[in-house]
């Protein structure tokens, strides 16, 4: 901004001086057709060649011409694109000078950032309207500083370690291992200014799973191996009447363990015969239950008699791997009770009210 202003002043001053010198010395001969959009007033040698209102004055490339000195050029001008106009003379009349300056970052086709226009005898500003265009900035030159000082990386042919980051001085790098391997050592390292690493490089150790444990009362569907790779899967099946406790598909994890340890669980015989029970639904006689058994994990609800009142309450037990005990409050009815008084069986009498259960 400051620089362009100085430049403008110097340029303007030089132009003014040149014009004044031209005027003081002698006016150029009229150069016809050289200045475009130009109507030169009548040629003259002296004032009396012109009419009463006109004077014989030097009008730039028109040479000495009959002009009306009080006539003015357009002012103020419409705002230009990327430029500012300053009138350098007190009024925009004949011979007045006008400076057009490009805004910072803009320049004219001739490489200058300012131009001077003169008010001509035809009441127009001399020359074409200047066009200020943005200066194209060149990218800063790339300075080749040569390779930066760095530390040595692990041999890629020997080490499986994957390095993330640049091994240059002062930089931290990160290590990782391919799938199926675990990193043994530090996962990060920093290169010191003396071009040595803070820690030794880690190594990648292959991970594998041991053969899965044999499953009682079931089968493993897998190729027999001493070691299994990370991601390998095996399937579990149980023998007939046994149910699988856990997923049927197990995977070797990256830490060398199996994702699950399923079991084959046995069914439980129902420890009641002459009393109705509940297995996920309505009351049933045990002889109505298929094979008289429930699956591992299933709940069986038994009916117990209130110790002092003629009412029943329930107690639940869960089958666990073949083990299902009747609750301690349950009494198996005798054959006579079952045959002679079926309506008086504990599972058939009214259930106790919540109040009855308070003093159990
Ligand atoms: C300014 O720029 C616009 C768009 O580029 C153009 O249409 C207009 O003629 C320009 N005006 C001047 C005075 O150069
Ligand atoms: C390199 O610099 C580090 C930290 O400044 C220092 O601990 C290490 O001993 C240096 N190693 C050698 C070989 O000079
Ligand atoms: C058995 O009962 C327990 C406790 O109420 C419950 O969490 C479980 O889901 C039940 N099991 C079945 C198979 O309904």
């Amino acid at each position: 901004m400051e620089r362009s202003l100085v430049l403008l002043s110097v340029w303007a001053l030089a132009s003014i001086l040149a014009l004044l010198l031209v005027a003081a010395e002698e006016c150029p001969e009229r150069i016809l057709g050289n200045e475009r959009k130009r109507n030169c007033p009548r040629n003259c040698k002296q004032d009396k060649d012109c009419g009463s209102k006109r004077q014989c004055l030097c009008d730039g490339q028109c040479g000495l011409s009959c002009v009306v000195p009080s006539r003015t050029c357009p002012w103020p001008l419409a705002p230009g694109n990327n430029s500012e106009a300053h009138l350098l003379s007190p009024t925009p009349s004949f011979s007045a000078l006008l400076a057009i300056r490009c805004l910072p970052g803009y320049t004219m086709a001739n490489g200058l950032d300012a131009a001077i226009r003169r008010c001509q005898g035809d009441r127009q500003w001399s020359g074409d309207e200047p066009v200020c265009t943005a200066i194209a900035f060149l990218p800063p030159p790339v300075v080749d500083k040569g390779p930066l000082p760095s530390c040595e990386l692990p041999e890629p042919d020997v080490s499986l370690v994957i390095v993330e980051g640049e091994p240059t001085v002062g930089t931290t790098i990160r290590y990782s291992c391919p799938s199926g391997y675990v990193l043994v050592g530090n996962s990060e390292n920093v290169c010191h200014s003396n071009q040595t690493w803070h820690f030794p490089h880690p190594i990648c150790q292959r991970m594998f799973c041991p053969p899965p444990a044999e499953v009682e009362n079931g089968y493993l569907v897998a190729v027999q191996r001493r070691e299994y790779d990370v991601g390998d899967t095996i399937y579990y099946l149980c023998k007939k009447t046994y149910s699988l406790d856990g997923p049927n598909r197990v995977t070797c994890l990256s830490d060398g363990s199996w994702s699950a340890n399923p079991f084959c669980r046995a069914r439980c015989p129902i420890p009641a015969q002459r009393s109705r029970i509940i297995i996920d639904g309505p009351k049933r006689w045990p002889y109505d239950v298929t094979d008289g058994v429930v699956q591992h994990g299933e709940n069986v609800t038994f009916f117990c008699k209130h110790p002092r009142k003629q009412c029943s309450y329930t107690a639940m037990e869960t089958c666990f791997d073949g083990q299902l005990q009747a609750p301690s409050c349950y009494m198996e009815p005798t054959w006579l009770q079952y045959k002679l008084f079926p309506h008086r069986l504990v599972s058939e009498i009214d259930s106790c009210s919540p109040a009855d259960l308070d003093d159990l």
Side-chain angles (χ1 to χ4, degrees), residues 30 41-59 63-71 93-95 121:
R30 176 169 292 192
R42 178 155 39 107
N43 230 197
C44 59
K45 295 262 186 272
Q46 49 197 336
D47 284 348
K48 67 176 169 128
D49 297 340
C50 308
S52 58
K53 285 179 184 161
R54 292 169 188 263
Q55 282 177 266
C56 189
L57 296 171
C58 185
D59 189 8
L64 284 167
S65 311
C66 290
V67 295
V68 183
S70 59
R71 281 195 174 167
S93 54
F94 178 73
S95 277

Coordinates of all heavy atoms in Angstrom, one line a residue, residues 30 41-59 63-71 93-95 121:
R30 N -0.1 17.1 -35.2 CA -1.3 16.2 -35.0 C -1.0 14.9 -35.7 O -0.6 14.8 -36.8 CB -2.5 16.8 -35.7 CG -3.7 15.9 -35.6 CD -5.0 16.6 -36.1 NE -5.3 17.7 -35.1 CZ -6.5 18.3 -35.1 NH1 -7.4 18.0 -36.0 NH2 -6.8 19.2 -34.2
P41 N -10.3 18.6 -32.1 CA -10.9 19.8 -32.5 C -10.1 20.5 -33.7 O -9.1 20.0 -34.1 CB -10.8 20.7 -31.3 CG -10.5 19.7 -30.2 CD -9.7 18.6 -30.8
R42 N -10.6 21.5 -34.2 CA -10.0 22.2 -35.4 C -8.6 22.5 -35.0 O -8.2 23.0 -34.0 CB -10.8 23.4 -35.8 CG -10.2 24.2 -36.9 CD -11.2 25.0 -37.7 NE -12.2 25.7 -37.0 CZ -12.2 27.1 -36.8 NH1 -11.2 27.8 -37.2 NH2 -13.1 27.7 -36.1
N43 N -7.7 22.3 -36.1 CA -6.3 22.6 -36.0 C -6.1 24.2 -36.0 O -6.9 24.9 -36.6 CB -5.6 22.1 -37.3 CG -4.4 21.3 -36.9 OD1 -3.6 21.0 -37.8 ND2 -4.2 20.9 -35.7
C44 N -5.0 24.6 -35.3 CA -4.8 26.0 -35.3 C -3.3 26.3 -35.1 O -2.5 25.4 -34.8 CB -5.6 26.7 -34.2 SG -5.3 26.1 -32.6
K45 N -2.9 27.6 -35.4 CA -1.6 28.0 -35.1 C -1.6 29.0 -34.0 O -0.6 29.1 -33.2 CB -1.0 28.7 -36.4 CG -0.8 27.7 -37.5 CD 0.6 27.2 -37.6 CE 0.9 26.3 -38.9 NZ 0.5 24.9 -38.6
Q46 N -2.6 29.8 -33.9 CA -2.8 30.8 -32.9 C -4.2 31.1 -32.5 O -5.1 30.6 -33.2 CB -2.1 32.1 -33.3 CG -2.5 32.5 -34.7 CD -1.6 33.6 -35.3 OE1 -0.9 34.3 -34.6 NE2 -1.6 33.6 -36.7
D47 N -4.5 31.8 -31.4 CA -5.8 32.0 -30.9 C -6.8 32.6 -32.0 O -8.0 32.2 -32.0 CB -5.8 32.9 -29.7 CG -5.3 32.2 -28.4 OD1 -5.2 30.9 -28.5 OD2 -5.1 32.8 -27.4
K48 N -6.3 33.5 -32.8 CA -7.2 34.2 -33.7 C -7.6 33.2 -34.8 O -8.6 33.6 -35.5 CB -6.5 35.5 -34.3 CG -5.4 35.3 -35.2 CD -4.9 36.6 -35.7 CE -3.6 36.5 -36.4 NZ -3.0 36.8 -37.4
D49 N -7.0 32.1 -35.0 CA -7.5 31.1 -35.9 C -8.8 30.4 -35.4 O -9.6 29.8 -36.2 CB -6.5 29.9 -36.1 CG -5.2 30.4 -36.7 OD1 -5.2 31.5 -37.3 OD2 -4.2 29.6 -36.5
C50 N -9.1 30.6 -34.1 CA -10.3 30.0 -33.5 C -11.4 31.1 -33.3 O -11.1 32.2 -33.5 CB -10.0 29.3 -32.1 SG -8.6 28.2 -32.2
G51 N -12.5 30.7 -32.9 CA -13.6 31.6 -32.7 C -13.4 32.4 -31.4 O -12.3 32.2 -30.7
S52 N -14.3 33.2 -31.0 CA -14.1 34.1 -29.8 C -14.0 33.3 -28.5 O -13.3 33.6 -27.7 CB -15.3 35.1 -29.7 OG -16.5 34.4 -29.6
K53 N -14.8 32.2 -28.4 CA -14.8 31.4 -27.1 C -13.7 30.4 -27.0 O -13.4 29.9 -26.0 CB -16.1 30.6 -27.0 CG -17.3 31.5 -26.6 CD -18.6 30.7 -26.5 CE -19.8 31.6 -26.3 NZ -21.0 30.9 -26.6
R54 N -13.0 30.1 -28.2 CA -12.0 29.1 -28.2 C -10.6 29.7 -28.1 O -10.4 30.8 -28.5 CB -12.1 28.2 -29.4 CG -13.4 27.4 -29.3 CD -13.7 26.7 -30.7 NE -15.1 26.1 -30.6 CZ -15.2 24.8 -30.3 NH1 -14.2 24.0 -30.1 NH2 -16.5 24.3 -30.2
Q55 N -9.7 28.8 -27.6 CA -8.3 29.2 -27.6 C -7.5 28.1 -28.4 O -7.8 27.0 -28.4 CB -7.8 29.3 -26.2 CG -8.2 30.5 -25.4 CD -7.7 30.5 -24.0 OE1 -8.5 30.0 -23.1 NE2 -6.5 30.9 -23.8
C56 N -6.3 28.6 -28.9 CA -5.5 27.6 -29.6 C -4.5 27.0 -28.6 O -3.5 27.7 -28.2 CB -4.7 28.3 -30.7 SG -3.8 27.2 -31.8
L57 N -4.8 25.8 -28.1 CA -4.0 25.2 -27.1 C -3.5 23.8 -27.6 O -4.1 23.2 -28.4 CB -4.8 25.0 -25.8 CG -5.2 26.3 -25.1 CD1 -6.2 26.0 -24.0 CD2 -4.0 27.1 -24.6
C58 N -2.4 23.3 -26.9 CA -1.9 22.0 -27.3 C -2.8 20.9 -26.7 O -3.0 20.9 -25.5 CB -0.5 21.9 -26.7 SG 0.3 20.3 -27.3
D59 N -3.3 20.1 -27.5 CA -4.3 19.0 -27.1 C -3.7 17.6 -27.4 O -4.1 16.9 -28.2 CB -5.6 19.2 -27.8 CG -6.7 18.3 -27.2 OD1 -6.4 17.6 -26.1 OD2 -7.8 18.2 -27.8
G63 N -2.2 17.8 -31.3 CA -1.4 19.0 -31.6 C -2.2 20.2 -31.2 O -3.2 20.2 -30.5
L64 N -1.8 21.4 -31.7 CA -2.5 22.7 -31.4 C -3.9 22.6 -32.0 O -4.1 22.4 -33.2 CB -1.7 23.8 -32.0 CG -0.4 24.2 -31.2 CD1 0.5 25.2 -32.0 CD2 -0.7 24.8 -29.8
S65 N -4.9 22.9 -31.1 CA -6.3 22.7 -31.5 C -7.1 23.8 -30.9 O -6.7 24.4 -29.8 CB -6.8 21.4 -31.0 OG -6.0 20.3 -31.4
C66 N -8.2 24.2 -31.5 CA -9.1 25.2 -31.0 C -10.0 24.5 -29.9 O -10.8 23.7 -30.2 CB -10.0 25.7 -32.1 SG -9.2 26.7 -33.3
V67 N -9.7 24.8 -28.6 CA -10.5 24.2 -27.6 C -11.1 25.3 -26.7 O -10.7 26.4 -26.7 CB -9.6 23.3 -26.7 CG1 -9.1 22.1 -27.5 CG2 -8.5 24.0 -26.1
V68 N -12.2 24.8 -25.9 CA -12.8 25.7 -24.9 C -12.2 25.3 -23.6 O -12.6 24.2 -23.1 CB -14.4 25.5 -24.9 CG1 -15.0 26.5 -24.0 CG2 -14.9 25.7 -26.3
P69 N -11.3 26.0 -23.0 CA -10.6 25.6 -21.8 C -11.5 25.3 -20.6 O -11.2 24.5 -19.7 CB -9.7 26.7 -21.5 CG -9.7 27.6 -22.6 CD -10.9 27.4 -23.4
S70 N -12.7 25.9 -20.5 CA -13.5 25.7 -19.3 C -14.4 24.4 -19.4 O -15.0 24.0 -18.4 CB -14.5 26.9 -19.2 OG -15.2 27.0 -20.4
R71 N -14.4 23.8 -20.6 CA -15.2 22.5 -20.7 C -14.5 21.4 -19.9 O -13.3 21.3 -19.8 CB -15.3 22.1 -22.2 CG -16.3 22.9 -22.9 CD -16.6 22.3 -24.2 NE -17.7 23.0 -24.9 CZ -18.0 22.8 -26.1 NH1 -17.4 22.0 -26.9 NH2 -19.0 23.5 -26.7
S93 N -11.2 20.0 -15.7 CA -11.3 20.8 -17.0 C -10.2 20.4 -17.9 O -9.3 19.6 -17.6 CB -11.4 22.3 -16.7 OG -10.3 22.6 -15.9
F94 N -10.1 21.1 -19.1 CA -9.1 20.8 -20.1 C -7.7 20.8 -19.5 O -7.4 21.6 -18.7 CB -9.2 21.9 -21.2 CG -8.2 21.7 -22.3 CD1 -8.3 20.6 -23.2 CD2 -7.1 22.5 -22.4 CE1 -7.4 20.4 -24.2 CE2 -6.1 22.3 -23.4 CZ -6.3 21.3 -24.3
S95 N -7.0 19.7 -19.9 CA -5.6 19.5 -19.4 C -5.5 19.0 -18.0 O -4.4 18.7 -17.5 CB -4.7 20.7 -19.6 OG -4.3 20.8 -20.9
G121 N -9.5 18.0 -25.3 CA -10.3 19.1 -25.9 C -11.7 18.5 -26.3 O -12.7 19.3 -26.4

